[in-house]
Amino acid sequence: QVQLVESGGGLVQVGGSLRLSCAASGNIFQIYTMGWYRQAPGKQREMVAVVTSGGATNYAGSVKGRFTVSRDNAKNTVFLQMNSLKPEDTAVYYCTAVADSSLGSMMHNYWGQGTQVTVSS
């Protein structure tokens, strides 16, 4: 019903920057929260940053001050600006959205396919 597609991942050196993008499409009626989770090898998936439709944000303590999440509501797109990257930021980053579908699903959680971010040391 709603599709999320991430882009912008890749290989970067320690201290470098990357900007991830995620665009939602499909049968969208309303999007509430959009954001990013990540999963590193051997670890559970964790919340990185989320932003509500009103612009309120939350960050994991490990990325606060280095990452910035933002969104363009008109384009149903969320971004993650990642600066001062560290090796421990290496993970698959997943875009997520909580949305109402025009087909009837209410406040359903949707996930993107994931994009790999690798920070070399």
Side-chain angles (χ1 to χ4, degrees), residues 61-104:
S62 59
V63 308
K64 196 171 186 178
R66 300 188 296 119
F67 292 9
T68 302
V69 65
S70 60
R71 66 190 287 176
D72 185 336
N73 290 330
K75 297 181 179 179
N76 293 323
T77 301
V78 63
F79 307 93
L80 185 67
Q81 179 66 47
M82 304 185 293
N83 299 325
S84 302
L85 284 162
K86 304 175 180 179
E88 49 263 44
D89 295 318
T90 296
V92 177
Y93 284 70
Y94 296 91
C95 177
T96 187
V98 178
D100 293 342
S101 169
S102 59
L103 297 182

Side-chain angles (χ1 to χ4, degrees), residues 6 8-12 18 20 36-48 62-63 66-67 80 82 85-95 113-120:
E6 304 101 330
L11 176 64
V12 66
L18 284 173
L20 306 183
W36 299 89
Y37 283 64
R38 68 186 181 187
Q39 187 165 24
K43 294 186 176 182
Q44 294 187 349
R45 189 175 298 187
E46 65 173 346
M47 188 273 289
V48 177
S62 59
V63 308
R66 300 188 296 119
F67 292 9
L80 185 67
M82 304 185 293
L85 284 162
K86 304 175 180 179
E88 49 263 44
D89 295 318
T90 296
V92 177
Y93 284 70
Y94 296 91
C95 177
Q113 79 285 356
T115 185
Q116 177 70 46
V117 172
T118 302
V119 184
S120 64

Side-chain angles (χ1 to χ4, degrees), residues 21-37:
S21 299
C22 173
S25 62
N27 303 110
I28 301 169
F29 182 76
Q30 182 177 9
I31 299 178
Y32 300 95
T33 300
M34 299 189 77
W36 299 89
Y37 283 64

